[in-house]
Amino acid sequence: MQVPLWLALIVVGYLGVKLIRPPAWLVAVLLLGGFLLADSVLAPAIDSFIK
């Protein structure tokens, strides 16, 4: 069974927020920070570090 990545991320995110109950500001900072880093000059460095 193949699941789209966006669906898997939504499910994991929902379960994480539901079970762990992180503060809303922490969720917002992680989402905004990830979005901003993905479009920055650091993106190639992060990509090579992850791989």
Side-chain angles (χ1 to χ4, degrees):
M1 180 171 107
Q2 293 182 353
V3 178
L5 179 61
W6 60 268
L7 181 61
L9 289 176
I10 289 173
V11 170
V12 169
Y14 175 77
L15 289 175
V17 168
K18 192 80 167 162
L19 296 175
I20 299 175
R21 302 270 184 192
W25 64 266
L26 181 60
V27 173
V29 166
L30 288 174
L31 288 174
L32 184 61
F35 177 75
L36 292 176
L37 277 176
D39 198 30
S40 71
V41 296
L42 296 175
I46 294 170
D47 188 44
S48 66
F49 179 72
I50 291 175
K51 290 181 181 181

